Amino acid sequence: MLIEREAITRLQAVAIAVIIAVAVIGGIYYYVIMGPTPTTEEKKIIFTYPFQQIVSTIDPAKATDETSCCAVINMYDPLFFPVKFENGTRKTVPWLVEEWFVSEDGMTYTMKLKEGIKFHDGTELTAEDVAFSMDRMLSIGMGFSYLWEGVLQPGDTEVVDKYTFKFHLRKPYSPFISTLIQLFVVNKKLIMEHLEPGDFGEYGDYGQKYLEDHDAGSGPYKLKSWERGVEIVFEKFDDYWRGWKENSPTEVHCKVILEEATVVTLFKKGELDMTHMWLTPETFEELKQIPGVIVDEDLALQIFHIPMNMKKPPTDNKWFRYAICYAFDYETACELAGGAPQAEGPVPLPVEGHAEDVLVFHRNVTLAQYYLNKSGYKPGEVTIDIVYITAVELERKICLLLKSNLEEIGIGVNIIGETWGRLCDLATSPETAPHLSCIYDRMKTLHPDSHTYGKYHSSVQGTWRSISWMENSTIDSILEQARATADPEEALELYKEAQRLITYEAPAIFVFNNIHRIAMHDWVKGYVDPGIMSFDLYWWNLEIIGRD
């Protein structure tokens, strides 16, 4: 029996060895010939966010408002990027740029790109794309092109080699580096393949038709779908040059939801991961009380103001504008804004270069009546229109406050609610722009030029940012001099002087410096607000951890 058992054991061992050998050989064959066994498909992580207004464009040469810029920031990369450090300081840092140098006269900026950055179609991003993107921006003349008004023209960006390029400025420009956060690089090859007939010679329409519903970027997300007025969906670009974190959103769904109540309801149900910033302070206080909800709060690089149309009677009259400014109840408005501090001129309080000695109006009914009389208008003689955005409840409340204040001194007020898109349309001419408009305006760069030249130089008229339609040759001259001053400290002094003159013209009721608030569920990690419009909505920063 023992011999029999040993024989069986030897036979079993041989059989097992043969089976293992066949399995190993078969496995090697399958791996070499057929390829590795497919790994588990990447888990889908969807992040859902509400847009308070429609996305008007996804073309980086045209975007200027919050939702459009959010789309651009996530599908494209700029040369430089605004960041907020842990100590609260904010700075403009190189992004696509590896290194850069400035000539002694401040007229030539030489920059070298990081190598190996890919566009969404796999094409490598090079200096040719940078030069093309700047020329395209300047030629189309929309969006943030005013940042380089009189400083660069098409052809002024020189391609040195595959990764090196030079900006040849027409004159020194002190904010130049800070403006490059708004130059998003587009894929020249892709756009040239999709040209339509247009006004730009060999460049046709510069790809404007194509970029109405496609992207040509290198950013962390690609355009997946866009149902206008309803939802825009972005999907993760796997080869993004910054890499990815384990729990980064693979898709971002941005739903257009105009009613605050709907945003709050969906957020409480967990169908939205985050709110937008346009809820009322009372709503944010309510959301703070919900377990698992975080409300991020910080003094924003943003003012809320009510621009007055300086080319339409009666607000074309300086003393009439003074009457409005003195009649307004700033203290109550700041309380309505959740304790926000009163604005002091056009530049937000935390910004380096904010002028502290500008004219700041306070409610004084006696002075309001005095300036109304000085304007030549009598109480009860005129009625003015004020437009607010229907999706922003706080604006409606402030309009009611202003109406009450102005009726007290004999000025009638019509309150008109409009969508954001409609107000943007009205802003394009002084004839259609309302007497007064409710406007929130965040910094577009980390430089006071954003809220001085970018709003009040006569060359930038025709958008919502310049809806006051100011034309003042003295202010224009000072702002031009400030831009051309190479010494940073001297330039800031000129920007401060411009702020003083702007406030004396009273182009707006400068109401409050906004407190930026945004609510999110505690499973959302990594949110940071660098202070510049829409850059807090750079989805790559986020991770979703602990959501059921």
Side-chain angles (χ1 to χ4, degrees), residues 59-205:
D59 188 332
K62 297 180 178 180
T64 60
D65 62 38
E66 182 183 283
T67 48
S68 297
C69 287
C70 172
V72 168
I73 286 164
N74 284 288
M75 293 190 294
Y76 296 84
D77 283 305
L79 294 180
F80 285 73
F81 207 88
V83 299
K84 182 180 180 181
F85 296 98
E86 290 185 1
N87 63 3
T89 60
R90 295 176 170 95
K91 189 176 180 181
T92 301
V93 302
W95 200 247
L96 294 179
V97 171
E98 184 72 48
E99 56 185 4
W100 54 283
F101 311 95
V102 186
S103 62
E104 289 186 8
D105 61 3
M107 299 283 280
T108 302
Y109 287 72
T110 303
M111 299 185 180
K112 186 177 186 302
L113 292 169
K114 293 180 171 73
E115 298 182 16
I117 295 173
K118 294 181 181 179
F119 286 113
H120 295 160
D121 68 351
T123 305
E124 187 178 11
L125 188 154
T126 69
E128 283 282 352
D129 299 297
V130 175
F132 180 82
S133 300
M134 179 58 88
D135 286 353
R136 181 177 187 271
M137 173 73 84
L138 297 172
S139 298
I140 293 174
M142 298 174 67
F144 290 112
S145 63
Y146 68 84
L147 291 169
W148 305 287
E149 176 77 29
V151 177
L152 286 170
Q153 292 184 11
D156 287 345
T157 307
E158 175 193 358
V159 176
V160 177
D161 58 37
K162 186 175 182 180
Y163 302 109
T164 309
F165 58 94
K166 292 183 179 182
F167 290 116
H168 295 286
L169 276 56
R170 301 275 169 142
K171 56 188 176 184
Y173 181 32
S174 57
F176 184 63
I177 290 298
S178 70
T179 68
L180 295 180
I181 67 172
Q182 300 294 359
L183 179 63
F184 292 87
V185 180
V186 300
N187 184 336
K188 177 181 179 180
K189 175 178 175 290
L190 185 62
I191 289 179
M192 293 299 290
E193 291 171 352
H194 293 89
L195 297 180
E196 298 282 344
D199 301 326
F200 303 104
E202 64 178 306
Y203 299 109
D205 71 337

Side-chain angles (χ1 to χ4, degrees), residues 342-363:
Q342 183 175 343
E344 298 175 0
V347 176
L349 299 174
V351 173
E352 182 183 6
H354 164 75
E356 297 179 353
D357 54 350
V358 296
L359 173 61
V360 178
F361 290 90
H362 299 279
R363 177 165 165 78

